[in-house]
Amino acid sequence: MAGYYRGLSHIRLTRVEEEREAKPIVPVGVGGDIGMYALMRAFHERYQITGVVLSKVVTRFFQNSAIARTVVVPEIDRPEVMVNALRRVAAKFPGARLVLLTNADWYVRAIVEHRAELADLYWIPFCEKSTLDLISTKEGFAAVCDRIGLPTPRTVAVNISELTPADVAAFDPGLPFPIIGKPSSSADYYYVDFPGKAKIHHLRSRAELVDLLDRLVAAEYPGVFLLQEFIPGDETHMRSLTAYRDQSGQTTLLASGHVLLEEHTPGTLGVPAAIRTKVMAEAMSDVTRFLDEVDYHGYANFDCKVDDRSGELVFFEVNPRIGRNNYYATAAGTNVAEPLVADLTGKPVSQPKQATGEVLYTVVAVRLLRHYLTGANLAAVNDLVRAKAVVNPLRYRGDRGRKRRLIVAAVRLNYWRKFRRHYARPTKTGF
């Protein structure tokens, strides 16, 4: 494994200038998705810090990147391998304060469950295991929402391990079709494979539901699978909220946005591809109450949707991490690294920093985005383009070597291919 760590000695340990601390801060990320790149970019933009990322492979998002070095750990999905790799990385940085980050539910779970083995080396800004156990299932999330008066979709929980073939054949969800099918725990779902597996399943009929349940039973999925009321409206009805709550119990970051386009490949279905930032004061207050209710610590990202029938905001889930699309918050004026550094260094924060700027965050070309929009949404995009308020997390002046530019162009081109294949004809319903 020693070969995986080549090059780490060249990582620059830049002091966080505003904090004037004796020890440099180094962000260490587990997983190399675009959300981790955006988080490393936030640290680099604000503090000129070069980070470290542990990943199965060097992902496209980090190829030839100057803002983070990748440590390749092929079996990092195994918690014991992850812990050992993190301890080896820590040994390369004596005297530094290491901050442990991730943007994947299964890694959050592994880190929280192995906190005791890492806490002597890393600052770990994640909630306690009891809190994670409560909110990481959709049923637990809904129960908290119910206590504080936040609306959620009607949901039926199905324990797959208890179903017999006869149960599946006779199953009635008691919900009108179409319905949504998704795992209660994303962490549990990560470790199971079956034909046609998707992040979210759109089920138009009872026959489609029975077929999906049969596949889950055959795959011996050990967790709970949820069948959920479909809230009418396409993806432009979706909203995203990002927050950070510190160790003292203050919510020190709030950002919100109006989703304009989601990804549509099976593995990323529902992940925002384009967001127009927008201050949603009432929703910000709602998520603050939620975080206070469970005494949360760290980054959180909420998914919710405007019900086409009532105009009410319906809450779907909270991700116990910053979220794949987190750069929209930084681009709107609140760098997401700042509240974490303030928490780490004990810097007092008098009030939450709210991302109030209006920008268009997009990982796809504007021309591709326009293909899916009409009316006020299209007009808003055109206004932001004219104002030159368009940001892509991968297009960063601080990370612009020749090879890097070619890689970013290839990622951009690949989005054209994916949307042409998986979402050629947008619909008004989302189905």
Side-chain angles (χ1 to χ4, degrees):
M1 185 174 280
Y4 299 147
Y5 299 89
R6 187 178 305 143
L8 289 187
S9 60
H10 301 296
I11 291 179
R12 185 177 33 153
L13 302 184
T14 303
R15 181 177 300 174
V16 178
E17 76 281 2
E18 198 171 90
E19 310 306 337
R20 306 296 182 190
E21 294 291 335
K23 294 182 179 181
I25 295 172
V26 179
V28 178
V30 180
D33 74 344
I34 193 172
M36 181 57 71
Y37 182 86
L39 190 50
M40 290 293 173
R41 174 177 172 176
F43 274 93
H44 193 267
E45 278 187 12
R46 177 64 182 82
Y47 302 112
Q48 295 76 57
I49 293 174
T50 303
V52 182
V53 172
L54 284 69
S55 184
K56 288 182 180 180
V57 298
V58 181
T59 64
R60 272 196 165 187
F61 307 118
F62 284 98
Q63 282 180 337
N64 294 99
S65 173
I67 69 171
R69 301 290 181 264
T70 298
V71 177
V72 176
V73 186
E75 295 186 308
I76 198 169
D77 286 350
R78 293 170 53 196
E80 66 275 16
V81 172
M82 180 197 72
V83 169
N84 288 335
L86 285 168
R87 295 190 71 86
R88 288 173 184 262
V89 167
K92 302 291 182 179
F93 298 100
R97 287 183 300 174
L98 305 180
V99 179
L100 185 52
L101 304 167
T102 189
N103 193 39
D105 292 340
W106 43 97
Y107 292 141
V108 172
R109 169 66 62 181
I111 288 168
V112 168
E113 291 184 345
H114 293 268
R115 188 192 299 267
E117 299 165 63
L118 296 167
D120 60 327
L121 299 172
Y122 291 88
W123 191 65
I124 302 176
F126 294 103
C127 62
E128 295 301 318
K129 183 177 181 296
S130 58
T131 304
L132 181 64
D133 289 342
L134 173 63
I135 67 166
S136 63
T137 67
K138 309 299 188 292
E139 310 98 294
F141 173 78
V144 176
C145 287
D146 187 58
R147 287 205 305 265
I148 63 175
L150 300 184
T152 58
R154 287 185 294 157
T155 302
V156 175
V158 184
N159 193 326
I160 299 299
S161 64
E162 295 179 357
L163 289 181
T164 66
D167 292 332
V168 172
F171 193 85
D172 180 3
L175 298 171
F177 288 93
I179 61 176
I180 300 294
K182 58 186 179 182
S184 173
S185 168
S186 299
D188 290 344
Y189 196 59
Y190 176 74
Y191 294 100
V192 68
D193 287 306
F194 58 89
K197 178 183 176 182
K199 185 172 182 284
I200 298 172
H201 291 265
H202 290 165
L203 305 169
R204 299 173 179 83
S205 66
R206 188 174 174 281
E208 290 186 6
L209 169 60
V210 169
D211 176 61
L212 175 59
L213 293 178
D214 275 333
R215 283 180 280 146
L216 286 164
V217 170
E220 298 182 343
Y221 177 55
V224 172
F225 200 77
L226 302 182
L227 305 174
Q228 203 166 72
E229 169 192 15
F230 174 64
I231 304 299
D234 63 14
E235 59 219 73
T236 65
H237 289 66
M238 294 298 298
R239 303 293 184 265
S240 178
L241 290 107
T242 300
Y244 186 91
R245 189 173 186 269
D246 69 14
Q247 297 175 93
S248 72
Q250 290 190 82
T251 297
T252 53
L253 165 70
L254 288 166
S256 52
H258 175 174
V259 176
L260 298 173
L261 182 67
E262 294 178 340
E263 296 194 30
H264 283 261
T265 59
T268 59
L269 186 64
V271 174
I275 293 175
R276 173 192 173 196
T277 60
K278 179 181 180 182
V279 175
M280 298 186 291
E282 184 176 352
M284 287 179 172
S285 176
D286 288 339
V287 303
T288 300
R289 289 193 296 116
F290 182 99
L291 298 175
D292 288 344
E293 177 72 15
V294 298
D295 195 21
Y296 191 87
H297 176 215
Y299 293 113
N301 177 246
F302 291 78
D303 295 330
C304 42
K305 185 176 186 180
V306 176
D307 191 326
D308 205 24
R309 299 162 296 191
S310 64
E312 181 180 53
L313 194 63
V314 180
F315 286 79
F316 286 176
E317 64 182 346
V318 58
N319 300 298
R321 51 187 169 80
I322 195 167
R324 183 181 173 96
N325 51 289
N326 68 83
Y327 194 75
Y328 82 91
T330 298
T334 300
N335 185 298
V336 296
E338 290 184 2
L340 186 149
V341 169
D343 196 13
L344 169 61
T345 59
K347 180 181 177 182
V349 177
S350 59
Q351 59 184 8
K353 289 189 174 182
Q354 293 190 6
T356 57
E358 188 169 352
V359 300
L360 170 63
Y361 161 96
T362 179
V363 298
V364 303
V366 170
R367 188 157 62 94
L368 175 60
L369 174 60
R370 283 172 169 149
H371 175 69
Y372 296 98
L373 300 179
T374 59
N377 290 326
L378 178 59
V381 164
N382 290 335
D383 287 344
L384 291 168
V385 170
R386 281 191 290 270
K388 297 183 178 179
V390 181
V391 295
N392 181 316
L394 298 178
R395 301 183 72 178
Y396 175 36
R397 289 181 181 273
D399 202 10
R400 282 175 56 85
R402 180 175 174 274
K403 288 183 178 179
R404 179 68 190 171
R405 292 198 301 272
L406 291 174
I407 290 165
V408 172
V411 172
R412 193 176 173 94
L413 177 61
N414 194 43
Y415 274 111
W416 281 95
R417 294 174 180 150
K418 289 195 294 185
F419 274 88
R420 186 178 295 118
R421 178 181 178 185
H422 295 284
Y423 196 43
R425 296 183 178 217
T427 67
K428 292 182 179 180
T429 65
F431 273 84

